[in-house]
Amino acid sequence: MEKCLGELQIAENGFREEDEKHCKSSIKTEGLSKKYRNFQLQGVTLEVPAGNILGLLGRNGAGKTTVMKLLSGHTRKSGGKIWVAGYDLDREPISAKEQIGLMLDEPMFFETRSLWENGVAFGKFYPAFGEDTFRKWLSVFRLKKSDWPGMLSKGDRMKFQFAFALSHHPKTLLLDEPTGNLDPVFRKEFLELLQEAVEEEQIGVLFSSHLTSDLEQIADGVALLEQGELLYCDSMEMLKSRYCLLKGDPEMGKRLKMSKEPGILGIQVSRVGFEAMADLQNISDNLRSIMESAVQEEVDLSKWMYYMIKH
């Protein structure tokens, strides 16, 4: 298991160094688990410091939404511990949930009441909710106060959730596939607004997405789930420095594939060449020699995820 976010080596792993006021974690779990009949989330331990964005990756069914629902209190865990902005979710559930802003891919509001009525009604559960702030964000997202959630497209539903979340000044944001239904133009605007909010209010964000290009733009760290198990959790800088792609001619690829080097986490060989992903923390003298003749490229999240899961 790799070091997770928020431990003593945050600065070494490339995270922004915060003063003592902001060192408290926005999200922290230890041994988080959930058992279903046909699925089990197994001992997930991670941490997101205030002012950082952790991208949560995994295939469909890997457990990303389960993690989100456990952290938000929508689903009861089978084991482990959860802290939100320093509050124990078991012992101080009200205080913990007041610190959480949510964007989930499911109905969260009254379908036949206006956006304004919904905001005011649900805002009563959050001491920091402000009507003026809510009005501002509805305007930013070009949403009409009189519209109903049931009238909105999926994209506009997500915009409304984000507007409401920002209106009660959360210390933690749980975003489950927030950009999947947004058009490319607004998706870019959304990511910019998110980064500004994180920086200005020192929010810790867990951002689940299958759009790896979005996470590459904004994530400080990456966590990878596969079949309920946390395969990886570390900073984006560490990921980029530890893994790389190797490319070359097919003969080199065949030799590399036959060598079964432990530092090669995956390889594909075709008639025109090969591509492999190398773990630079686990290379032998033989692999180092081969790498001198191969083309080395920075790995992107999409290919990194593919090779990590297939390994």
Side-chain angles (χ1 to χ4, degrees):
M1 180 73 66
E2 303 297 330
K3 284 187 179 294
C4 286
L5 312 185
E7 297 186 356
L8 295 178
Q9 298 183 357
I10 290 173
E12 176 185 320
N13 287 346
F15 277 50
R16 295 190 290 274
E17 294 184 46
E18 306 296 343
D19 60 26
E20 186 175 349
K21 178 182 177 182
H22 295 133
C23 283
K24 186 165 62 175
S25 300
S26 289
I27 307 166
K28 182 178 180 180
T29 72
E30 287 184 0
L32 185 61
S33 65
K34 177 64 179 177
K35 295 181 180 179
Y36 293 104
R37 179 175 297 177
N38 299 315
F39 176 79
Q40 182 173 343
L41 190 74
Q42 307 171 49
V44 172
T45 296
L46 55 81
E47 191 167 352
V48 185
N52 281 267
I53 299 173
L54 176 63
L56 185 61
L57 289 171
R59 293 190 287 187
N60 291 338
K64 302 189 300 298
T65 297
T66 297
V67 169
M68 293 290 184
K69 289 183 176 180
L70 292 172
L71 293 176
S72 66
H74 281 62
T75 299
R76 181 175 296 180
K77 58 186 171 57
S78 301
K81 299 288 291 182
I82 300 171
W83 293 268
V84 179
Y87 295 102
D88 186 315
L89 189 58
D90 290 328
R91 296 179 180 179
E92 304 167 281
I94 295 176
S95 295
K97 291 177 182 179
E98 287 175 354
Q99 308 302 320
I100 298 173
L102 289 173
M103 290 180 68
L104 302 178
D105 191 18
E106 60 182 48
M108 295 173 55
F109 296 92
F110 299 122
E111 294 290 287
T112 56
R113 294 181 66 178
S114 72
L115 302 187
W116 182 257
E117 289 171 328
N118 268 289
V120 172
F122 284 94
K124 293 177 181 178
F125 295 101
Y126 300 92
F129 175 80
E131 291 188 5
D132 288 342
T133 306
F134 182 48
R135 185 181 292 107
K136 180 194 79 171
W137 284 114
L138 287 178
S139 177
V140 168
F141 296 138
R142 302 180 183 87
L143 296 171
K144 296 179 180 179
K145 294 167 56 177
S146 58
D147 282 349
W148 299 350
M151 300 167 55
L152 302 180
S153 65
K154 284 188 175 182
D156 281 346
R157 281 174 178 265
M158 299 307 281
K159 293 177 187 179
F160 174 57
Q161 288 187 36
F162 192 43
F164 177 75
L166 292 178
S167 299
H168 61 81
H169 304 283
K171 294 300 181 185
T172 297
L173 275 175
L174 303 177
L175 310 182
D176 191 14
E177 302 286 355
T179 56
N181 296 304
L182 301 178
D183 63 77
V185 174
F186 185 76
R187 194 164 81 235
K188 187 175 186 302
E189 293 176 359
F190 169 81
L191 295 176
E192 291 173 352
L193 287 168
L194 177 62
Q195 285 182 297
E196 289 177 11
V198 167
E199 184 70 27
E200 290 177 10
E201 302 203 23
Q202 288 298 296
I203 304 170
V205 181
L206 187 61
F207 190 127
S208 167
S209 180
H210 66 279
L211 297 172
T212 55
S213 59
D214 286 354
L215 295 181
E216 282 196 283
Q217 291 181 53
I218 65 169
D220 298 289
V222 176
L224 176 62
L225 282 172
E226 171 64 4
Q227 296 182 348
E229 180 183 357
L230 187 64
L231 296 185
Y232 182 92
C233 184
D234 214 325
S235 71
M236 184 72 78
E237 183 175 330
M238 181 62 74
L239 185 154
K240 294 289 187 178
S241 66
R242 177 173 176 176
Y243 301 96
C244 75
L245 291 178
L246 304 178
K247 295 182 179 181
D249 62 63
E251 291 303 316
M252 182 187 296
K254 290 175 184 177
R255 292 197 304 272
L256 189 56
K257 192 171 185 178
M258 290 181 64
S259 71
K260 299 188 183 299
E261 287 283 346
I264 296 298
L265 300 186
I267 184 168
Q268 294 178 307
V269 183
S270 69
R271 290 181 299 174
V272 297
F274 83 92
E275 178 184 87
M277 188 171 79
D279 178 355
L280 300 180
Q281 289 188 1
N282 189 26
I283 58 174
S284 65
D285 291 339
N286 178 55
L287 179 54
R288 185 174 286 106
S289 176
I290 293 173
M291 289 174 62
E292 290 177 358
S293 302
V295 176
Q296 298 184 37
E297 295 181 358
E298 183 178 276
V299 67
D300 61 56
L301 275 185
S302 179
K303 288 187 177 180
W304 173 83
M305 177 180 165
Y306 171 80
Y307 285 117
M308 289 291 287
I309 288 174
K310 292 295 184 180
H311 176 56

mmCIF file with all atom_site columns, all heavy atoms in Angstrom, residues 293-304:
data_model
loop_
_atom_site.group_PDB
_atom_site.id
_atom_site.type_symbol
_atom_site.label_atom_id
_atom_site.label_alt_id
_atom_site.label_comp_id
_atom_site.label_asym_id
_atom_site.label_entity_id
_atom_site.label_seq_id
_atom_site.pdbx_PDB_ins_code
_atom_site.Cartn_x
_atom_site.Cartn_y
_atom_site.Cartn_z
_atom_site.occupancy
_atom_site.B_iso_or_equiv
_atom_site.pdbx_formal_charge
_atom_site.auth_seq_id
_atom_site.auth_comp_id
_atom_site.auth_asym_id
_atom_site.auth_atom_id
_atom_site.pdbx_PDB_model_num
ATOM 1  N N   . SER A 1 293 ? 17.534 2.152  -24.598 1.00 0.00 ? 293 SER A N   1
ATOM 2  C CA  . SER A 1 293 ? 17.276 2.062  -26.040 1.00 0.00 ? 293 SER A CA  1
ATOM 3  C C   . SER A 1 293 ? 15.820 2.334  -26.393 1.00 0.00 ? 293 SER A C   1
ATOM 4  O O   . SER A 1 293 ? 15.482 2.441  -27.570 1.00 0.00 ? 293 SER A O   1
ATOM 5  C CB  . SER A 1 293 ? 17.660 0.660  -26.548 1.00 0.00 ? 293 SER A CB  1
ATOM 6  O OG  . SER A 1 293 ? 19.014 0.386  -26.280 1.00 0.00 ? 293 SER A OG  1
ATOM 7  N N   . ALA A 1 294 ? 14.966 2.390  -25.392 1.00 0.00 ? 294 ALA A N   1
ATOM 8  C CA  . ALA A 1 294 ? 13.538 2.603  -25.644 1.00 0.00 ? 294 ALA A CA  1
ATOM 9  C C   . ALA A 1 294 ? 13.194 4.091  -25.553 1.00 0.00 ? 294 ALA A C   1
ATOM 10 O O   . ALA A 1 294 ? 13.941 4.890  -24.979 1.00 0.00 ? 294 ALA A O   1
ATOM 11 C CB  . ALA A 1 294 ? 12.714 1.820  -24.630 1.00 0.00 ? 294 ALA A CB  1
ATOM 12 N N   . VAL A 1 295 ? 12.069 4.434  -26.139 1.00 0.00 ? 295 VAL A N   1
ATOM 13 C CA  . VAL A 1 295 ? 11.527 5.793  -26.013 1.00 0.00 ? 295 VAL A CA  1
ATOM 14 C C   . VAL A 1 295 ? 10.747 5.868  -24.706 1.00 0.00 ? 295 VAL A C   1
ATOM 15 O O   . VAL A 1 295 ? 9.893  5.021  -24.441 1.00 0.00 ? 295 VAL A O   1
ATOM 16 C CB  . VAL A 1 295 ? 10.611 6.131  -27.200 1.00 0.00 ? 295 VAL A CB  1
ATOM 17 C CG1 . VAL A 1 295 ? 9.970  7.514  -27.009 1.00 0.00 ? 295 VAL A CG1 1
ATOM 18 C CG2 . VAL A 1 295 ? 11.384 6.075  -28.514 1.00 0.00 ? 295 VAL A CG2 1
ATOM 19 N N   . GLN A 1 296 ? 11.031 6.878  -23.886 1.00 0.00 ? 296 GLN A N   1
ATOM 20 C CA  . GLN A 1 296 ? 10.331 7.049  -22.618 1.00 0.00 ? 296 GLN A CA  1
ATOM 21 C C   . GLN A 1 296 ? 9.388  8.240  -22.711 1.00 0.00 ? 296 GLN A C   1
ATOM 22 O O   . GLN A 1 296 ? 9.773  9.309  -23.176 1.00 0.00 ? 296 GLN A O   1
ATOM 23 C CB  . GLN A 1 296 ? 11.328 7.251  -21.481 1.00 0.00 ? 296 GLN A CB  1
ATOM 24 C CG  . GLN A 1 296 ? 12.266 6.080  -21.264 1.00 0.00 ? 296 GLN A CG  1
ATOM 25 C CD  . GLN A 1 296 ? 13.176 6.287  -20.064 1.00 0.00 ? 296 GLN A CD  1
ATOM 26 O OE1 . GLN A 1 296 ? 12.767 6.854  -19.051 1.00 0.00 ? 296 GLN A OE1 1
ATOM 27 N NE2 . GLN A 1 296 ? 14.408 5.811  -20.170 1.00 0.00 ? 296 GLN A NE2 1
ATOM 28 N N   . GLU A 1 297 ? 8.143  8.024  -22.261 1.00 0.00 ? 297 GLU A N   1
ATOM 29 C CA  . GLU A 1 297 ? 7.134  9.086  -22.279 1.00 0.00 ? 297 GLU A CA  1
ATOM 30 C C   . GLU A 1 297 ? 6.442  9.167  -20.926 1.00 0.00 ? 297 GLU A C   1
ATOM 31 O O   . GLU A 1 297 ? 6.328  8.169  -20.210 1.00 0.00 ? 297 GLU A O   1
ATOM 32 C CB  . GLU A 1 297 ? 6.083  8.818  -23.368 1.00 0.00 ? 297 GLU A CB  1
ATOM 33 C CG  . GLU A 1 297 ? 6.604  8.854  -24.778 1.00 0.00 ? 297 GLU A CG  1
ATOM 34 C CD  . GLU A 1 297 ? 5.508  8.616  -25.810 1.00 0.00 ? 297 GLU A CD  1
ATOM 35 O OE1 . GLU A 1 297 ? 4.339  8.391  -25.382 1.00 0.00 ? 297 GLU A OE1 1
ATOM 36 O OE2 . GLU A 1 297 ? 5.814  8.656  -27.007 1.00 0.00 ? 297 GLU A OE2 1
ATOM 37 N N   . GLU A 1 298 ? 5.956  10.366 -20.603 1.00 0.00 ? 298 GLU A N   1
ATOM 38 C CA  . GLU A 1 298 ? 5.173  10.531 -19.376 1.00 0.00 ? 298 GLU A CA  1
ATOM 39 C C   . GLU A 1 298 ? 3.859  9.792  -19.514 1.00 0.00 ? 298 GLU A C   1
ATOM 40 O O   . GLU A 1 298 ? 3.199  9.848  -20.550 1.00 0.00 ? 298 GLU A O   1
ATOM 41 C CB  . GLU A 1 298 ? 4.916  12.019 -19.118 1.00 0.00 ? 298 GLU A CB  1
ATOM 42 C CG  . GLU A 1 298 ? 4.168  12.296 -17.827 1.00 0.00 ? 298 GLU A CG  1
ATOM 43 C CD  . GLU A 1 298 ? 3.971  13.773 -17.567 1.00 0.00 ? 298 GLU A CD  1
ATOM 44 O OE1 . GLU A 1 298 ? 4.891  14.418 -17.026 1.00 0.00 ? 298 GLU A OE1 1
ATOM 45 O OE2 . GLU A 1 298 ? 2.885  14.292 -17.920 1.00 0.00 ? 298 GLU A OE2 1
ATOM 46 N N   . VAL A 1 299 ? 3.458  9.086  -18.463 1.00 0.00 ? 299 VAL A N   1
ATOM 47 C CA  . VAL A 1 299 ? 2.216  8.327  -18.508 1.00 0.00 ? 299 VAL A CA  1
ATOM 48 C C   . VAL A 1 299 ? 1.034  9.245  -18.210 1.00 0.00 ? 299 VAL A C   1
ATOM 49 O O   . VAL A 1 299 ? 1.129  10.143 -17.368 1.00 0.00 ? 299 VAL A O   1
ATOM 50 C CB  . VAL A 1 299 ? 2.264  7.153  -17.499 1.00 0.00 ? 299 VAL A CB  1
ATOM 51 C CG1 . VAL A 1 299 ? 2.298  7.658  -16.065 1.00 0.00 ? 299 VAL A CG1 1
ATOM 52 C CG2 . VAL A 1 299 ? 1.097  6.206  -17.704 1.00 0.00 ? 299 VAL A CG2 1
ATOM 53 N N   . ASP A 1 300 ? -0.073 9.055  -18.929 1.00 0.00 ? 300 ASP A N   1
ATOM 54 C CA  . ASP A 1 300 ? -1.292 9.793  -18.592 1.00 0.00 ? 300 ASP A CA  1
ATOM 55 C C   . ASP A 1 300 ? -2.160 8.907  -17.701 1.00 0.00 ? 300 ASP A C   1
ATOM 56 O O   . ASP A 1 300 ? -1.958 7.697  -17.616 1.00 0.00 ? 300 ASP A O   1
ATOM 57 C CB  . ASP A 1 300 ? -2.050 10.237 -19.841 1.00 0.00 ? 300 ASP A CB  1
ATOM 58 C CG  . ASP A 1 300 ? -2.499 9.080  -20.719 1.00 0.00 ? 300 ASP A CG  1
ATOM 59 O OD1 . ASP A 1 300 ? -3.197 8.187  -20.215 1.00 0.00 ? 300 ASP A OD1 1
ATOM 60 O OD2 . ASP A 1 300 ? -2.144 9.068  -21.920 1.00 0.00 ? 300 ASP A OD2 1
ATOM 61 N N   . LEU A 1 301 ? -3.142 9.508  -17.030 1.00 0.00 ? 301 LEU A N   1
ATOM 62 C CA  . LEU A 1 301 ? -3.935 8.767  -16.053 1.00 0.00 ? 301 LEU A CA  1
ATOM 63 C C   . LEU A 1 301 ? -4.714 7.618  -16.671 1.00 0.00 ? 301 LEU A C   1
ATOM 64 O O   . LEU A 1 301 ? -4.896 6.582  -16.035 1.00 0.00 ? 301 LEU A O   1
ATOM 65 C CB  . LEU A 1 301 ? -4.915 9.715  -15.349 1.00 0.00 ? 301 LEU A CB  1
ATOM 66 C CG  . LEU A 1 301 ? -4.396 10.491 -14.142 1.00 0.00 ? 301 LEU A CG  1
ATOM 67 C CD1 . LEU A 1 301 ? -5.538 11.276 -13.508 1.00 0.00 ? 301 LEU A CD1 1
ATOM 68 C CD2 . LEU A 1 301 ? -3.757 9.564  -13.127 1.00 0.00 ? 301 LEU A CD2 1
ATOM 69 N N   . SER A 1 302 ? -5.187 7.802  -17.891 1.00 0.00 ? 302 SER A N   1
ATOM 70 C CA  . SER A 1 302 ? -5.975 6.766  -18.536 1.00 0.00 ? 302 SER A CA  1
ATOM 71 C C   . SER A 1 302 ? -5.156 5.487  -18.731 1.00 0.00 ? 302 SER A C   1
ATOM 72 O O   . SER A 1 302 ? -5.592 4.389  -18.370 1.00 0.00 ? 302 SER A O   1
ATOM 73 C CB  . SER A 1 302 ? -6.506 7.273  -19.887 1.00 0.00 ? 302 SER A CB  1
ATOM 74 O OG  . SER A 1 302 ? -7.247 6.266  -20.532 1.00 0.00 ? 302 SER A OG  1
ATOM 75 N N   . LYS A 1 303 ? -3.960 5.629  -19.267 1.00 0.00 ? 303 LYS A N   1
ATOM 76 C CA  . LYS A 1 303 ? -3.120 4.448  -19.484 1.00 0.00 ? 303 LYS A CA  1
ATOM 77 C C   . LYS A 1 303 ? -2.572 3.906  -18.164 1.00 0.00 ? 303 LYS A C   1
ATOM 78 O O   . LYS A 1 303 ? -2.438 2.695  -17.988 1.00 0.00 ? 303 LYS A O   1
ATOM 79 C CB  . LYS A 1 303 ? -1.986 4.788  -20.452 1.00 0.00 ? 303 LYS A CB  1
ATOM 80 C CG  . LYS A 1 303 ? -2.473 4.973  -21.876 1.00 0.00 ? 303 LYS A CG  1
ATOM 81 C CD  . LYS A 1 303 ? -1.329 5.140  -22.860 1.00 0.00 ? 303 LYS A CD  1
ATOM 82 C CE  . LYS A 1 303 ? -1.876 5.235  -24.284 1.00 0.00 ? 303 LYS A CE  1
ATOM 83 N NZ  . LYS A 1 303 ? -0.800 5.398  -25.281 1.00 0.00 ? 303 LYS A NZ  1
ATOM 84 N N   . TRP A 1 304 ? -2.247 4.815  -17.249 1.00 0.00 ? 304 TRP A N   1
ATOM 85 C CA  . TRP A 1 304 ? -1.781 4.373  -15.934 1.00 0.00 ? 304 TRP A CA  1
ATOM 86 C C   . TRP A 1 304 ? -2.826 3.496  -15.260 1.00 0.00 ? 304 TRP A C   1
ATOM 87 O O   . TRP A 1 304 ? -2.516 2.419  -14.736 1.00 0.00 ? 304 TRP A O   1
ATOM 88 C CB  . TRP A 1 304 ? -1.472 5.592  -15.064 1.00 0.00 ? 304 TRP A CB  1
ATOM 89 C CG  . TRP A 1 304 ? -1.144 5.243  -13.644 1.00 0.00 ? 304 TRP A CG  1
ATOM 90 C CD1 . TRP A 1 304 ? 0.069  4.845  -13.153 1.00 0.00 ? 304 TRP A CD1 1
ATOM 91 C CD2 . TRP A 1 304 ? -2.031 5.252  -12.529 1.00 0.00 ? 304 TRP A CD2 1
ATOM 92 N NE1 . TRP A 1 304 ? -0.014 4.607  -11.795 1.00 0.00 ? 304 TRP A NE1 1
ATOM 93 C CE2 . TRP A 1 304 ? -1.303 4.849  -11.390 1.00 0.00 ? 304 TRP A CE2 1
ATOM 94 C CE3 . TRP A 1 304 ? -3.393 5.560  -12.375 1.00 0.00 ? 304 TRP A CE3 1
ATOM 95 C CZ2 . TRP A 1 304 ? -1.869 4.759  -10.119 1.00 0.00 ? 304 TRP A CZ2 1
ATOM 96 C CZ3 . TRP A 1 304 ? -3.963 5.464  -11.115 1.00 0.00 ? 304 TRP A CZ3 1
ATOM 97 C CH2 . TRP A 1 304 ? -3.208 5.054  -10.008 1.00 0.00 ? 304 TRP A CH2 1
#
